Amino acid sequence: MGAGSSINVDTSSHVAADDHSGGQLYVSLKMEDYIPKGKQNLVPHVYGSVPLVGSWDESKALPMERESSSMWQLSFVVSPNHETLDFKFLLKPKDNNEPCIVEEGPTRQFMGGTLQGITRLAQFRLNADEVLEYRVCIKADRVSPFDLAASWRAYQQNLEPSTVRGIPDVSINHEGGENGLSESLDLDLEQYVVPTPPTSVVYAANLTENPRSMKHNGSEKDVELTDPPPTIKEPEGVDSEKDTVGPDPAKLHHSPGMVESKSVGTFSPKQKQYNEKGLLVDRGVGSYRLARSASVTDLPDSESKNSMPAAAGAVAAAAVADQMLGPKEDMHLAIVLVGLPARGKTFTAAKLTRYLRWLGHDTKHFNVGKYRRLKHGANLSADFFRVDNPEGMEARNEVAALAMDDMIAWMQEGGQVGIFDATNSTSHRRNMLMKMAEGKCKIIFLETICNDPKIIERNIRLKVQQSPDYSEEMDFEAGYQDFKKRLENYEKVYEPVNEGSYIKMIDMASGKGGQIQVNNIGGYLPGRIVFFLVNTHLTPRPILLTRHGESRDNVRGRIGGDTVLSTKGELYAKKLSNFVEKRLQNERAASIWTSTLQRTILTANQIVGFPKVQWRALDEINAGVCDGMTYEEIKKNMPEEYESRKKDKLRYRYPRGESYLDVIQRLEPVIIELERQRAPVVVVSHQAVLRALYAYFADRPLKEIPHIEMPLHTIIEIQMGVTGVQEKRYKLMD
């Protein structure tokens, strides 16, 4: 651009068609960011009448903010029936020593959300021979009072000060995220934030199992030891050779001594009490058996007919193989963590627990540090962990044995995978654990090794900030130095794992590759664990989950199908595109994942600048012969199916279709790939599928999955990082 240059451009202003009524006008003035060589000190400004500036004094002109590398922007709010707004653009030197350059031509007038007169370029005359021309865009969106209040709340929460009379600026930039990249979020996205299920950053060890052999009245200092629970034995009347497959768990009577576990519906006896029709004996992964006592007759056909499996796909197949071919102790698996403090053991244990529970394996996390705090109190100094402190060594071995006893007792009641979380840093300690587990469970040691000083330093600081061991230490530096001494005590006696079956994770948290070593690992479940660990890392990144826009079948109330979007769904697709482009504007490595059904593909079509991947695994749950029907039609024409689904939505499988358990099994590759990704991912899928994915990240029990709320036109942002998983929700429209 220069003297005599001109551009034919169709710039227009409009009030966007929105579903809000009333409210205010959110006006955006945008100008192309083009500054010729030698004129980089010129910054676009705006001045004019109320309510924009209220002064035609050039010294009081409002500077425009940089929206992107190619655009300047200034935003403000006015009422829909505002008076005519007169304004002009000007270029103002940064040093204020040179005169301003005012836009050529008549004053611009904006009224009722529309720019009056003929649209034109902004022209600035530098001298008699040189004229600068800029593309200009003026846009007005109607904003509801609710959205405006949300913007004001965001402003009040110490965001950037406004440059337009109390109205927040359009963009807010937070420098230096955990991954070293700047994190950018446009303020107008904050208008759509809605409440999420209550979550907070909790020290992972506090979420582990409570000791069954200890009682405490809410204080970790008041502890009373009690006798351990009696070992549960099979009654003499049980004939293990005459097991019969039990009925649907939803039809079983729940006696007070029975608890539902998380291994896709198996039931385990808590005490020596019987169900009125037999004793439930857990045979390992997945499928349950109903063992008949001598006083129990055969179950009626109506009870056992069409019983649903307690697991699906690979989990069920592995259960059968383990029951028929594996030794008894292989039915129960103990993952024993090994590693120095501040190496991410508890984080790894919590993540692995969440994954195995989601797959349907009954899994519990036992943290020895929690046992130690309950028995000996928190805030123990580093001297307690000294090598030459025999009392401390004995006390630590004692609580480790208590935790191991609890885990084995739980396994004998039907539990499948126990995660034993402690340093276990010497061969003596590990040999003690292996001796306790002989004939009862299979042990695999999981050693976490980190040689990156920066990661170790970060973990130490997080430990001091979050661990109950330092909850009463008000001086952070004192706690930091104490933990460093504790770490030195462990380093003096640390012995790497070389015995038994083991997995070694070496520098996996650095995000630069690392390696995994395995020894004597075999079987379905250990293999899945290794595969999961290979693909996990701690790189912070967001994962956005959203349903497709409303489809025509949604309007008709029909399930399944493959229809196009409704008018409302098409509007959501536009809003989603705008949201993603602003939320991920600095994340060019992000990707968009959809199912193969056209309603998700159409929803994501308008998102530009990111690669798109179609997953058949993300397709909606297969409704089989019920596809395309309404629930009322199913209730009328297939009442038995309707009632079966109503009683147990988790295990119910549509005729020639799928159950939620089937969906979980086919989603495992998606979960592994989401864990492997280091850049943001936007998943556009369907209600049942997103329920299952969300349950994984939120660690929700399997039985809750079919009932998780997953509304249309809402984005769930899952933020994954070293402190765990955090959630934020945006509702773009009703």
Side-chain angles (χ1 to χ4, degrees):
M1 298 181 188
S5 63
S6 64
I7 297 177
N8 294 323
V9 57
D10 183 16
T11 56
S12 61
S13 64
H14 64 283
V15 178
D18 208 327
D19 54 342
H20 299 299
S21 59
Q24 304 289 308
L25 288 180
Y26 188 85
V27 183
S28 295
L29 306 180
K30 296 188 179 185
M31 178 182 288
E32 176 191 34
D33 180 19
Y34 171 77
I35 301 295
K37 189 173 182 179
K39 302 294 182 181
Q40 285 83 1
N41 67 326
L42 297 177
V43 178
H45 283 60
V46 178
Y47 72 142
S49 62
V50 175
L52 179 58
V53 181
S55 172
W56 287 97
D57 184 348
E58 296 177 0
S59 64
K60 297 181 180 180
L62 296 176
M64 301 183 75
E65 301 292 331
R66 187 180 296 279
E67 181 192 44
S68 65
S69 59
S70 61
M71 193 69 65
W72 293 86
Q73 176 169 293
L74 178 68
S75 299
F76 55 93
V77 175
V78 295
S79 63
N81 57 349
H82 66 88
E83 297 179 359
T84 300
L85 172 63
D86 300 320
F87 69 96
K88 269 193 169 187
F89 296 102
L90 61 86
L91 298 180
K92 197 171 184 180
K94 292 180 181 179
D95 55 17
N96 290 322
N97 293 328
E98 300 179 18
C100 299
I101 306 172
V102 181
E103 175 188 9
E104 297 279 297
T107 300
R108 297 178 184 266
Q109 292 186 329
F110 185 82
M111 183 174 62
T114 305
L115 185 64
Q116 306 298 306
I118 301 174
T119 59
R120 69 180 193 272
L121 299 175
Q123 296 182 337
F124 300 91
R125 183 171 296 279
L126 301 181
N127 50 55
D129 299 322
E130 188 176 5
V131 176
L132 298 181
E133 294 184 335
Y134 294 86
R135 294 182 178 91
V136 172
C137 176
I138 302 176
K139 181 180 179 182
D141 289 297
R142 193 174 296 275
V143 182
S144 73
F146 173 84
D147 289 343
L148 191 58
S151 290
W152 178 249
R153 286 195 301 271
Y155 167 68
Q156 292 289 79
Q157 294 172 359
N158 297 321
L159 301 179
E160 284 190 358
S162 172
T163 58
V164 189
R165 293 192 169 193
I167 303 301
D169 293 332
V170 171
S171 62
I172 301 173
N173 294 315
H174 306 281
E175 296 295 331
E178 287 183 311
N179 58 356
L181 300 176
S182 64
E183 179 184 355
S184 177
L185 176 64
D186 280 25
L187 180 60
D188 54 358
L189 303 186
E190 295 293 324
Q191 300 174 15
Y192 303 109
V193 173
V194 294
T196 62
T199 58
S200 60
V201 178
V202 180
Y203 185 57
N206 290 346
L207 304 178
T208 59
E209 293 304 306
N210 289 314
R212 60 172 67 191
S213 56
M214 297 181 183
K215 293 180 180 178
H216 59 99
N217 59 1
S219 170
E220 293 192 347
K221 294 182 179 179
D222 301 320
V223 178
E224 177 187 350
L225 294 181
T226 62
D227 293 332
T231 303
I232 297 173
K233 300 180 180 179
E234 271 191 341
E236 296 178 359
V238 175
D239 183 356
S240 60
E241 297 298 321
K242 297 181 180 180
D243 293 346
T244 58
V245 176
D248 188 334
K251 300 178 182 178
L252 290 173
H253 170 70
H254 295 206
S255 68
M258 310 300 291
V259 292
E260 184 176 0
S261 74
K262 295 184 179 180
S263 61
V264 279
T266 64
F267 285 76
S268 307
K270 286 176 65 179
Q271 301 172 356
K272 193 175 179 181
Q273 297 179 2
Y274 307 133
N275 183 276
E276 62 183 22
K277 293 184 179 178
L279 173 68
L280 288 167
V281 181
D282 197 312
R283 299 294 186 185
V285 191
S287 60
Y288 59 87
R289 296 276 180 173
L290 184 62
R292 296 177 299 176
S293 65
S295 61
V296 177
T297 58
D298 290 341
L299 294 172
D301 291 339
S302 60
E303 290 280 341
S304 58
K305 182 179 180 181
N306 295 328
S307 62
M308 295 303 299
V315 170
V320 174
D322 286 347
Q323 291 170 23
M324 296 180 64
L325 304 176
K328 182 179 179 180
E329 59 267 23
D330 283 357
M331 296 180 185
H332 309 294
L333 181 62
I335 304 297
V336 177
L337 274 294
V338 178
L340 290 168
R343 263 54 175 187
K345 296 185 301 298
T346 297
F347 178 83
T348 302
K351 200 166 189 176
L352 185 57
T353 300
R354 175 162 53 92
Y355 170 70
L356 294 175
R357 283 175 177 169
W358 182 78
L359 281 180
H361 303 288
D362 192 4
T363 306
K364 285 190 176 181
H365 181 184
F366 296 82
N367 180 268
V368 175
K370 187 174 185 177
Y371 280 67
R372 168 178 52 78
R373 285 186 287 272
L374 288 171
K375 191 174 192 305
H376 300 287
N379 305 301
L380 295 171
S381 71
D383 291 338
F384 181 81
F385 303 90
R386 286 201 339 254
V387 182
D388 57 352
N389 181 356
E391 293 82 6
M393 292 283 290
E394 183 180 355
R396 283 150 49 205
N397 284 332
E398 179 187 9
V399 292
L402 285 172
M404 192 69 175
D405 279 337
D406 279 0
M407 187 172 71
I408 291 173
W410 167 73
M411 287 179 174
Q412 290 177 339
E413 296 172 4
Q416 187 195 352
V417 183
I419 312 291
F420 190 83
D421 181 11
T423 55
N424 301 313
S425 54
T426 65
S427 296
H428 179 267
R429 164 72 73 83
R430 297 191 291 267
N431 288 328
M432 179 191 80
L433 299 177
M434 287 192 291
K435 187 174 182 179
M436 295 177 68
E438 280 183 7
K440 299 171 184 176
C441 65
K442 177 180 176 62
I443 282 186
I444 295 178
F445 293 109
L446 174 56
E447 185 176 15
T448 60
I449 300 172
C450 179
N451 299 306
D452 189 329
K454 292 182 180 179
I455 294 178
I456 296 172
E457 177 69 16
R458 180 192 65 190
N459 290 349
I460 290 175
R461 293 185 173 276
L462 286 174
K463 187 87 170 180
V464 175
Q465 291 170 358
Q466 299 179 2
S467 173
D469 286 345
Y470 297 98
S471 60
E472 296 180 10
E473 178 56 72
M474 303 305 295
D475 185 350
F476 175 84
E477 185 60 29
Y480 174 82
Q481 293 301 329
D482 181 83
F483 188 84
K484 293 273 283 187
K485 292 179 182 178
R486 182 195 301 191
L487 179 56
E488 291 173 1
N489 290 330
Y490 275 104
E491 288 174 337
K492 292 176 183 177
V493 296
Y494 186 78
E495 298 173 310
V497 173
N498 289 304
E499 61 270 6
S501 301
Y502 61 77
I503 305 168
K504 292 193 179 194
M505 300 176 62
I506 304 173
D507 291 329
M508 293 293 292
S510 66
K512 300 176 182 178
Q515 58 179 300
I516 283 191
Q517 298 176 2
V518 298
N519 180 67
N520 194 25
I521 301 295
Y524 169 78
L525 190 51
R528 301 312 301 164
I529 291 173
V530 171
F531 186 63
F532 175 75
L533 294 174
V534 167
N535 288 283
T536 58
H537 56 86
L538 303 182
T539 305
R541 74 278 190 197
I543 295 174
L544 308 179
L545 307 177
T546 182
R547 289 176 66 184
H548 55 79
E550 181 187 70
S551 70
R552 293 182 181 178
D553 273 348
N554 288 142
V555 176
R556 303 183 187 111
R558 300 191 178 277
I559 63 176
D562 191 19
T563 59
V564 298
L565 301 178
S566 67
T567 302
K568 198 171 183 180
E570 291 173 349
L571 177 59
Y572 177 70
K574 296 178 182 178
K575 292 196 170 191
L576 176 64
S577 173
N578 182 58
F579 178 95
V580 170
E581 289 171 8
K582 290 181 178 179
R583 176 64 184 89
L584 304 180
Q585 61 183 337
N586 295 329
E587 302 282 1
R588 305 321 298 175
S591 57
I592 315 297
W593 296 2
T594 72
S595 73
T596 63
L597 301 176
Q598 63 173 336
R599 54 188 181 275
T600 65
I601 297 172
L602 292 173
T603 301
N605 258 357
Q606 298 193 43
I607 303 175
V608 297
F610 303 99
K612 298 185 176 72
V613 182
Q614 295 180 17
W615 286 73
R616 188 171 296 278
L618 291 176
D619 285 1
E620 180 61 296
I621 186 171
N622 185 354
V625 299
C626 299
D627 190 78
M629 300 175 66
T630 66
Y631 287 118
E632 285 300 318
E633 290 171 346
I634 296 173
K635 183 177 182 180
K636 179 180 179 181
N637 301 318
M638 308 173 70
E640 292 184 1
E641 296 296 332
Y642 183 85
E643 290 301 321
S644 295
R645 179 181 177 275
K646 185 177 179 181
K647 289 179 180 178
D648 192 355
K649 288 182 68 176
L650 176 67
R651 296 168 187 81
Y652 171 76
R653 179 178 289 129
Y654 286 100
R656 301 181 186 177
E658 289 181 304
S659 68
Y660 269 92
L661 293 177
D662 296 324
V663 171
I664 290 171
Q665 289 302 306
R666 68 167 154 96
L667 282 175
E668 186 190 10
V670 178
I671 289 295
I672 294 294
E673 190 60 27
L674 285 173
E675 287 285 0
R676 194 183 70 84
Q677 293 288 315
R678 299 183 183 276
V681 177
V682 180
V683 180
V684 184
S685 189
H686 309 267
Q687 180 169 249
V689 171
L690 292 177
R691 281 171 169 168
L693 291 178
Y694 175 79
Y696 168 77
F697 292 112
D699 197 16
R700 297 280 287 272
L702 288 177
K703 62 183 179 181
E704 294 183 9
I705 290 179
H707 311 287
I708 294 174
E709 183 182 3
M710 197 59 59
L712 285 169
H713 307 149
T714 300
I715 299 168
I716 301 177
E717 179 177 325
I718 305 293
Q719 186 70 41
M720 301 176 66
V722 294
T723 56
V725 176
Q726 296 177 323
E727 174 187 346
K728 193 173 188 179
R729 296 195 177 201
Y730 304 87
K731 190 171 183 63
L732 301 192
M733 54 186 287
D734 295 327

